[in-house]
Amino acid sequence: MSGFSPAFTRLGTALAAVVLQQQETLAEFLPREDWSADLTARSYTSGGVTVRVSLLGSYAARERTWLWGWANPQFGDGHPAVEPTLAIRGLGRRLGIPEFTTPEVDLGWYEGPAGHGGELIAMAAGGVLGGGGYIGAGYDGGSAYLHVDDPQAPPAVWDPVPVPRLLMNAVSLFPDEPRLTLARFLSRHRVAYRERDGVTEIRLPGGGMARAHFDGLGRFIDWQAELAPAGL
């Protein structure tokens, strides 16, 4: 396979901004210091903070492949850290997403803005599962990707200020449908919006309006926000 499938790309497009915001929230909560993990116990500890995790998969830098945890002979379907992630494979079967059902995904073709193609698979997988975000845990030769499945990890909350930055960062990774990326992000936070030609109008919680502008090719080009005066 060369290039991500249309089904995977659309899913990644829808989830990208949601996942990026959750990753920022996780980074504020979980120190990135010397770490240790016990996957049988489903625990990851960094900077004195321990969270419950599951194993998404791993990226091998030399081979440039993604290996799902359920396909790794060291783990498999029945491993305690893998079982919580099997919903991703099930979704892949239902929606026809080969990246979610192929045991080892060849990503040697990827030359995009992410560090490697495995990062995008981890993003999409983490977005499907929700929860606290994902962790890239480096090892000699690659990185294992762990999903944070722990109620103590805070969920991202609505904040209008970083929305244009999150949208631009998300679109840099999944550029096909910026309006879908924004719509899914707003829906995640239950923020009302209306789409019309070239503009998404957003009714901001607490008062005020924002408008996201798109060009004739659907590309995000501008963000304008009018916040309600304090106390009104």
Side-chain angles (χ1 to χ4, degrees):
M1 181 175 64
S2 179
F4 288 121
S5 67
F8 176 85
T9 298
R10 184 168 178 80
L11 181 69
T13 297
L15 294 174
V18 173
V19 173
L20 289 178
Q21 187 193 29
Q22 185 59 48
Q23 288 303 108
E24 292 183 358
T25 302
L26 178 63
E28 294 176 358
F29 166 75
L30 184 64
R32 295 308 301 269
E33 301 176 7
D34 290 343
W35 60 273
S36 63
D38 181 343
L39 291 183
T40 299
R42 296 185 58 198
S43 69
Y44 173 93
T45 300
S46 179
V49 178
T50 298
V51 291
R52 185 177 66 194
V53 296
S54 52
L55 175 64
L56 296 171
S58 57
Y59 179 80
R62 186 180 67 180
E63 294 82 1
R64 300 182 71 186
T65 57
W66 170 272
L67 180 66
W68 287 102
W70 50 264
N72 189 320
Q74 297 182 53
F75 299 99
D77 286 8
H79 192 278
V82 172
E83 284 185 314
T85 72
L86 296 181
I88 301 167
R89 185 174 61 182
L91 180 72
R93 289 169 175 166
R94 293 194 301 274
L95 298 184
I97 303 175
E99 291 84 355
F100 284 177
T101 58
T102 302
E104 188 170 19
V105 183
D106 179 10
L107 296 169
W109 55 269
Y110 182 77
E111 299 293 343
H116 51 73
E119 188 77 28
L120 299 186
I121 293 182
M123 281 184 63
V128 166
L129 294 177
Y134 68 89
I135 300 165
Y139 60 86
D140 187 21
S143 295
Y145 283 86
L146 311 175
H147 177 252
V148 179
D149 174 23
D150 193 317
Q152 69 174 312
V157 298
W158 169 255
D159 180 353
V161 174
V163 173
R165 173 180 55 80
L166 289 168
L167 180 57
M168 291 180 66
N169 290 344
V171 168
S172 74
L173 299 173
F174 290 95
D176 287 2
E177 298 181 68
R179 296 189 77 164
L180 172 61
T181 304
L182 178 59
R184 179 63 183 83
F185 182 82
L186 296 172
S187 296
R188 162 67 179 81
H189 291 291
R190 299 184 178 182
V191 174
Y193 67 93
R194 180 179 66 175
E195 293 182 336
R196 55 184 179 84
D197 291 345
V199 179
T200 298
E201 297 178 333
I202 303 133
R203 186 176 298 278
L204 299 174
M209 293 287 295
R211 294 173 179 84
H213 296 264
F214 302 86
D215 67 13
L217 298 177
R219 296 173 297 196
F220 173 60
I221 56 174
D222 191 29
W223 173 271
Q224 299 172 337
E226 302 168 359
L227 301 179
L232 295 183

